[in-house]
């Protein structure tokens, strides 16, 4: 390493407990995740044992109540944990974010009995979750979903196909949005479906350009029967629950994006300090210095934006607009920064010998998941101008 080697991110953390948490996460990340990240992403291996370790260390329930085994951490701390994990391996950071999203419907809308029965195992008992909103014919227009849940005595019977499900086929529980009533958003209800439910099966994982260690698959629900005790919230409240979960989830995606962007910048800084051309380190050329300065500035701005949205959430204030802004800005930032990181490495950046090309491939998906960046602009526009005219 040259003396220009990047330093760990200096974090603003509210408590000593949070500082210790970040140290623990950095230690786990370096010891358990970093050594195998590149190779496992290459072959598409999901590191289940890492999630078991994170669960045992209390890192799969950080923003939830300690009454049910959560870590009771503010969102601003939880998101910085995600950033640290994603910087080392996006499959892990995004996986924790999706798991947290999957637990949200129960934690925020479940009854006391439901929370007591299911949450402890979800937050710290080694279980892994999935969130099922998208379908083959309904992505951005999620309210047009077609998966049906029909009442049968004290049960519900679910039929349909969910698409693009992160952890599809390996999750222990699925938070599923299904239609129980009229067309549109008011006819949707949320259910907690166990991974081993009869009639639930997963298609072969999608073959993706990046994030290959994280399985993404269609989930088929073929006469899946769950009791009414697994309905989350009221009948017809499912779409509200889904959107509310996504407000928080988008902050998770923003934090993951900044983690990947920071990793790309660190790679570029190290390389620029060591690579020599024209008898000097390339870091001495102003053309590259300006590029690196812009990358660092975009990252700092993104981190400040997601943290300020998180602090609104922590204070119990509305944060939906700011979450959409953070998701939009941070994921556009990671796309730009990873593209520039490849450029800083020149031809080597285009090879798998350095991680820059992996970061670039991972960045793209972040502009798509949990609402594309076009949808984030629509959300922001509605906050600014009200609903669009039809
Ligand atoms: C790796 C991966 C993991 C995922 N994980 C999950 C998961 O765990 N759970 C889950 O439920 N979903 C998941 N998704 C699905 C993801 O949320 C959707 O892909 C996303 O919402 C977009 O939907 P779509 O792919 O159907 O695109 P479409 O909605 O068909 O959009 C296609 C294009 O049209 C644009 N567009 C659509 N409508 C408008 C409009 N009104 N104005 C302007 N532009 C518009 C979009 O921005 C996009 O560019 C995942 C997707 C991927 C790729």
């Amino acid at each position: 390493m040259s003396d220009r080697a990047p330093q760990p991110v200096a974090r603003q953390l509210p408590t000593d407990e949070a500082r210790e948490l970040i140290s623990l996460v950095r230690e786990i990340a370096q010891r358990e995740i970093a050594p195998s990240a590149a190779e496992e992403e290459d072959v598409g291996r999901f590191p289940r044992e890492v999630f078991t370790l994170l669960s045992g260390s209390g890192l799969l329930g950080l923003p939830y109540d300690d009454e049910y085994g959560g870590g009771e951490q503010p969102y601003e701390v939880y998101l910085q944990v995600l950033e640290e994990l994603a910087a080392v391996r996006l499959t892990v950071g995004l996986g924790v974010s999706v798991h947290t999203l999957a637990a949200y419907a129960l934690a925020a809308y479940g009854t006391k009995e439901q929370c007591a029965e299911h949450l402890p195992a979800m937050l710290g008992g080694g279980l892994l979750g999935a969130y099922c909103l998208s379908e083959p014919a309904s992505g951005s227009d999620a309210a047009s979903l077609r998966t049906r849940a029909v009442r049968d005595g004290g049960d519900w019977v679910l039929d349909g196909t969910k698409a693009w499900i992160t952890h599809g086929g390996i999750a222990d529980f699925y938070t599923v949005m299904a239609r129980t009533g009229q067309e549109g958003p008011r006819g949707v209800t949320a259910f907690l479906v166990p991974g081993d439910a009869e009639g639930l099966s997963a298609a072969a994982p999608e073959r993706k350009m990046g994030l290959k260690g994280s399985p993404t698959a269609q989930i088929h629900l073929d006469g899946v029967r769950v009791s009414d005790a697994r309905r989350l919230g009221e009948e017809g409240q499912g779409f509200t629950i889904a959107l509310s979960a996504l407000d928080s989830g988008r902050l998770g995606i923003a934090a993951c994006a900044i983690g990947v962007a920071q990793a790309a910048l660190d790679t570029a800084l190290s390389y620029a300090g060591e690579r020599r051309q024209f008898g000097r380190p390339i870091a001495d050329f102003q053309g590259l210095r300006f590029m690196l300065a812009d990358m660092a500035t975009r990252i700092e701005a993104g981190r400040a934006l997601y943290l300020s949205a998180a602090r609104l959430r922590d204070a119990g204030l509305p944060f939906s607009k700011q979450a959409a802004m953070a998701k939009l800005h941070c994921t556009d930032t990671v796309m730009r920064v990873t593209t520039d990181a490849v450029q800083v490495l020149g031809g080597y950046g285009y090879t798998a010998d350095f991680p820059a090309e992996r970061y670039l491939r991972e960045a793209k998906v972040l502009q798509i998941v949990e609402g594309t960046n076009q949808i984030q602009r629509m959300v922001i526009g509605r906050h600014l101008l009200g609903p669009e005219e039809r």
Side-chain angles (χ1 to χ4, degrees), residues 98 131-136 138-141 163-166 208 211 216 365 368-375 378:
V98 168
Y131 172 87
C132 303
L133 179 63
S134 305
E135 298 187 357
S138 63
S140 301
D141 183 14
W164 306 109
I165 303 308
T166 300
K208 308 193 295 293
L211 197 67
T216 312
V365 78
I368 297 170
V369 292
E370 297 196 22
T372 65
N373 283 3
Q374 284 76 23
I375 297 304
M378 281 171 57

Side-chain angles (χ1 to χ4, degrees), residues 4 8 20 31 47 130 135 174 184 234 238 259 266 280 292 295 315:
R4 301 175 207 237
E20 281 164 25
R31 200 185 57 226
E135 298 187 357
Y174 294 81
E234 302 298 325
D266 289 349
R280 289 193 280 167
L292 290 162
M295 290 158 76

